[in-house]
Amino acid sequence: MTDAPRLAFDGDPSRDDAELLRLRECATEPIRLIGRIQSHGALFGIDEQTGRVVVASENVEHWLGRDLRETGDRTLSWAIDHGLAVDPVRTEFEGVMYDVIPHPGTSPKLLEFEPVMPGLDYERTGVVGAIQRLANISDPDELRLQAAREIKAVTGYDRVMCYQFHDDGHGQVVADEREPDMEPYFGLHFPASDIPVQARALYIEKRSRVIADTEDPGLAIRTLLPEDAPVDLGPSELRSASPHHLQFMRNMGQASTVSISIVEGDRLVGMFTCAHRTTRRLPVLLRRALEVLATHVSTQLTASEQIRRLRRQLEVRERRIALTAPIYGRSEVASVLMSGPRTVLDVIPADGALLRLDGTVTTVGLVPAPDRLFTVVDELGAGRYMWEALPLEHPELAIEIPGVTGLLVVPLGGDGDALVFVRSEVARTVDWLGDQRPGNRDTALSPRRSFSAWRESVTGRSLPWGEHAQDAYDLGEDIRAAIVARTQAELAELALRDALTGLHNRRFLDEQLQELLDDSGKAIAVVFLDLDDFKLVNDTHGHEVGDAVLANVGKRLSGVARTSDVVVRLGGDEFVIVCIDAGAEEAAAVAGRAIGVLREPIVVRDTVISVNASAGVVAAGRGVSPRDLLDAADAAMYRAKRDGGGRTSV
């Protein structure tokens, strides 16, 4: 499908203004209160308290003030009391067979009479087969095309089109089944004012609409009601059409039409429109069957769209996860997002992107000068912003960042942190149902005279962001969540780390040692190390040098420990090495290497410091507690000190 263009021609706002004027005027047209019906039928309005006719079309106005039950027709009486619009009844009235369509819930209660159409009663049975044939079509475009083809076969109209409405209100012909001598309309776009807002509301309320003859002057409604109590004909089948719309149809070469709504939830998403070059109408039961067909089509389209959207969401989510996963680790955020094997442009198609985190800007792709762009972003203030035609919508901003037509700003929290995507202009062509310029109308409010395809060049716009905008906002939330989780993990890690040496601290040891001891499948041994006479280092050289020595000791102990071992600074000059999958002998070997490496001189600010250490080694026995294990290792270490220090005691 072609993306919806803005209704401006080469940047000229005149057509936009005219379209807005038409939309405003159409919104005020009282199409529900038009006061006329089509002349092939008859309409009554019944006061439910008295049973009297208080509203009647002029061809049956002699019934005003009377009760229709005077006819003695039991079917008609039942329809008045119990009938539903969805299930008309058939009866004879004044010598003519009619389909009687009651409208319960209206006030006065409307009752419509449509003459029976001999020979078309059983055409509706063809709709059942059509529904069955359409049921297995999953491709939306093919479904619309085949549905239009089936409706044409059932109704016999010269042309059956399927419309699809875009998010901005304009429509597009997405299926066009026609007689060979008719001009093709497939793929053409039409402005929102062709089917204005209040008409669309009626198409949701009432799922089919017949206009049997565009030259029909209609029949006036006579009423016994007060002058200030107009009759709402919105639910009726016979309501006359707006003179503007009838002229629109005549200009299209249409003498009669039937329209059937495609409704998704509470939204009119499309329509089937049957058009004929001579007067023609369909019996009400066939229209009801076509309403059912359109409902089935709508259900299939909705399911297809939900599946497409879900698949797309999963694919995009996978790309977002793959991109942001490294942020949870130690990787630098900007490098991950902007210069890794995947970048933000693999998630959001754009010409370029700019990332500002903690005041630092990183870019990828083709971007404007970062300082100028973020000056614009800062002027906008915090929040999400999206434009597809910046030079047209905000020329005062566009002049600051030339070359940028599409702009998508994704806030990341923090002090001005943001991810910004930019797109350049993409010239496109849009094929319209009739020339949209003023010369194709008698006045700005008149319908188009010609509906031949007309091609418009659309400039000043980027490709539409569409679903990518939400993708970008979701990516922003993922980035924020990853940064927050990473920060929390780093804080949690800091709580379990010794700030001076970077080794794990006593809190970590207390938590982890119990878990290791609970794992009966692992042998555990502990090396308890204490630096001999370390107080002399602090007293002689000061605590700053002493801290530097302790930091160096931590590095050396990490260097001699096995990869599976855990090195901990308990505090002061005490260290512990937890040896996993090791007995006393293996732990003693680790202790010996540790004492040996600590004897090597340590140079701090040209001062050579020599330290020595004593170690106690204990293997964990069954059921021993962490505290008992550390106390035993501490006691062994003190035995080593009493024996002269600089040695290991097991």
Side-chain angles (χ1 to χ4, degrees):
M1 299 297 297
T2 305
D3 290 303
R6 185 172 181 262
L7 296 178
F9 178 67
D10 288 337
D12 182 356
S14 61
R15 260 201 28 235
D16 269 345
D17 293 341
E19 173 68 3
L20 291 173
L21 176 62
R22 287 189 290 274
L23 287 169
R24 284 197 298 270
E25 288 297 315
C26 290
T28 62
E29 188 176 12
I31 60 175
R32 302 180 69 105
L33 309 176
I34 198 164
R36 302 185 74 80
I37 66 165
Q38 299 177 65
S39 58
H40 62 271
L43 179 138
F44 297 93
I46 300 172
D47 184 321
E48 292 195 82
Q49 289 187 337
T50 65
R52 294 188 309 125
V53 174
V54 293
V55 170
S57 54
E58 62 180 276
N59 56 342
V60 289
E61 62 180 310
H62 54 279
W63 278 94
L64 284 171
R66 299 167 59 188
D67 191 329
L68 288 172
R69 296 178 181 83
E70 294 174 15
T71 62
D73 188 310
R74 296 176 62 183
T75 301
L76 181 56
S77 296
W78 184 92
I80 294 171
D81 294 332
H82 306 292
L84 300 173
V86 73
D87 188 21
V89 299
R90 181 163 295 179
T91 191
E92 184 177 340
F93 180 76
E94 296 186 338
V96 178
M97 289 300 296
Y98 286 99
D99 287 321
V100 180
I101 309 159
H103 295 277
T106 56
S107 181
K109 185 174 185 177
L110 299 181
L111 198 68
E112 297 184 274
F113 286 58
E114 287 191 16
V116 170
M117 300 180 67
L120 289 178
D121 274 356
Y122 294 100
E123 289 294 328
R124 66 182 183 275
T125 59
V127 178
V128 176
I131 291 173
Q132 292 172 340
R133 287 186 290 274
L134 295 172
N136 294 323
I137 300 176
S138 59
D139 178 77
D141 295 333
E142 181 66 16
L143 177 60
R144 294 184 181 101
L145 176 65
Q146 293 300 329
R149 188 168 296 165
E150 294 281 2
I151 293 172
K152 187 177 186 305
V154 169
T155 63
Y157 276 69
D158 292 332
R159 166 178 253 140
V160 176
M161 294 177 287
C162 183
Y163 300 155
Q164 180 182 12
F165 297 120
H166 292 264
D167 290 340
D168 65 353
H170 96 283
Q172 187 176 10
V173 181
V174 294
D176 181 23
E177 290 298 304
R178 67 190 190 283
E179 292 300 302
D181 60 335
M182 299 181 76
E183 185 176 6
Y185 291 157
F186 177 75
L188 301 184
H189 296 249
F190 55 88
S193 60
D194 280 5
I195 307 175
V197 172
Q198 83 275 33
R200 298 189 193 203
L202 272 176
Y203 278 120
I204 295 173
E205 177 183 337
K206 189 179 180 316
R207 299 301 172 90
S208 67
R209 168 78 164 130
V210 172
I211 299 176
D213 183 358
T214 57
E215 300 292 348
D216 177 17
L219 299 171
I221 298 297
R222 309 301 189 198
T223 177
L224 300 180
L225 300 173
E227 290 185 6
D228 60 352
V231 180
D232 182 359
L233 297 178
S236 72
E237 304 287 335
L238 295 168
R239 176 177 56 86
S240 286
S242 153
H244 177 94
H245 184 64
L246 292 174
Q247 185 60 52
F248 182 99
M249 290 175 59
R250 289 192 290 267
N251 289 358
M252 286 192 77
Q254 299 172 347
S256 54
T257 60
V258 175
S259 298
I260 308 137
S261 307
I262 303 174
V263 178
E264 179 183 315
D266 59 355
R267 295 189 309 123
L268 183 71
V269 296
M271 294 171 60
F272 291 107
T273 295
C274 311
H276 209 61
R277 289 172 287 189
T278 59
T279 57
R280 187 176 182 85
R281 67 183 179 90
L282 298 180
V284 63
L285 289 178
L286 178 53
R287 301 199 303 270
R288 293 292 182 267
L290 291 173
E291 291 172 10
V292 173
L293 183 148
T295 299
H296 277 270
V297 169
S298 175
T299 300
Q300 289 175 245
L301 289 173
T302 300
S304 177
E305 173 61 15
Q306 289 174 339
I307 291 170
R308 182 204 67 81
R309 190 176 299 153
L310 180 59
R311 285 176 176 167
R312 184 187 176 281
Q313 288 173 347
L314 290 174
E315 290 171 0
V316 174
R317 183 171 179 270
E318 287 175 359
R319 290 200 296 271
R320 295 200 325 260
I321 291 173
L323 176 64
T324 57
I327 297 176
Y328 288 88
R330 300 282 183 180
S331 300
E332 200 268 327
V333 177
S335 297
V336 168
L337 298 176
M338 310 297 278
S339 60
R342 301 181 185 87
T343 73
V344 293
L345 298 184
D346 291 303
V347 180
I348 312 299
D351 293 316
L354 303 91
L355 174 70
R356 182 169 66 182
L357 281 178
D358 299 325
T360 300
V361 176
T362 311
T363 68
V364 60
L366 299 174
V367 298
D371 55 340
R372 301 186 69 172
L373 182 135
F374 277 107
T375 297
V376 170
V377 171
D378 291 339
E379 288 175 357
L380 292 172
R384 297 173 174 178
Y385 298 93
M386 179 184 70
W387 288 288
E388 297 166 358
L390 195 63
L392 300 175
E393 297 166 325
H394 288 280
E396 75 284 2
L397 300 179
I399 198 171
E400 299 295 329
I401 43 176
V404 174
T405 305
L407 184 66
L408 182 59
V409 179
V410 181
L412 298 178
D415 187 14
D417 291 349
L419 177 61
V420 182
F421 296 93
V422 294
R423 285 178 174 175
S424 58
E425 180 186 57
V426 175
R428 292 177 293 156
T429 59
V430 180
D431 294 326
W432 289 94
L433 183 61
D435 191 335
Q436 302 297 304
R437 293 172 295 187
N440 195 28
R441 300 177 188 267
D442 294 336
T443 70
L445 297 178
S446 300
R448 300 188 293 287
R449 291 191 297 269
S450 168
F451 289 86
S452 295
W454 176 73
R455 178 161 290 180
E456 177 188 37
S457 296
V458 180
T459 59
R461 299 186 64 84
S462 70
L463 290 174
W465 293 108
E467 293 175 307
H468 296 304
Q470 187 58 51
D471 296 340
Y473 300 143
D474 291 341
L475 175 61
E477 292 302 316
D478 289 350
I479 293 170
R480 292 178 63 176
I483 291 174
V484 168
R486 172 180 172 149
T487 301
Q488 291 175 341
E490 289 174 347
L491 291 173
E493 177 72 9
L494 286 175
L496 301 175
R497 291 276 180 182
D498 175 59
L500 178 61
T501 63
L503 300 176
H504 291 297
N505 59 18
R506 178 142 201 166
R507 179 179 173 184
F508 176 86
L509 181 65
D510 290 342
E511 293 179 2
Q512 294 298 308
L513 190 54
Q514 183 64 64
E515 292 183 14
L516 291 170
L517 292 173
D518 289 341
D519 187 348
S520 59
K522 292 183 178 179
I524 301 297
V526 170
V527 177
F528 197 117
L529 283 134
D530 183 88
L531 301 183
D532 296 335
D533 300 321
F534 185 73
K535 184 175 181 301
L536 292 175
V537 175
N538 285 328
D539 292 344
T540 305
H541 302 286
H543 286 280
E544 189 174 348
V545 172
D547 287 347
V549 171
L550 290 173
N552 189 278
V553 167
K555 291 180 181 179
R556 295 189 181 189
L557 292 178
S558 297
V560 299
R562 304 173 308 164
T563 55
S564 60
D565 296 341
V566 179
V567 182
V568 176
R569 182 190 178 206
L570 286 183
D573 57 358
E574 294 181 332
F575 298 83
V576 168
I577 302 175
V578 180
C579 300
I580 302 171
D581 286 329
E585 185 176 347
E586 292 91 344
V590 171
R593 292 197 300 271
I595 292 172
V597 75
L598 294 180
R599 289 195 180 108
E600 298 176 7
I602 300 172
V603 179
V604 179
R605 297 178 184 175
D606 299 327
T607 300
V608 178
I609 308 294
S610 296
V611 296
N612 207 352
S614 298
V617 176
V618 174
R622 183 179 298 274
V624 67
S625 69
R627 179 171 181 175
D628 290 343
L629 183 61
L630 290 176
D631 286 346
D634 183 39
M637 179 272 295
Y638 273 106
R639 288 198 299 272
K641 280 187 178 292
R642 286 195 298 271
D643 290 340
R647 67 190 66 202
T648 300
S649 175
V650 180

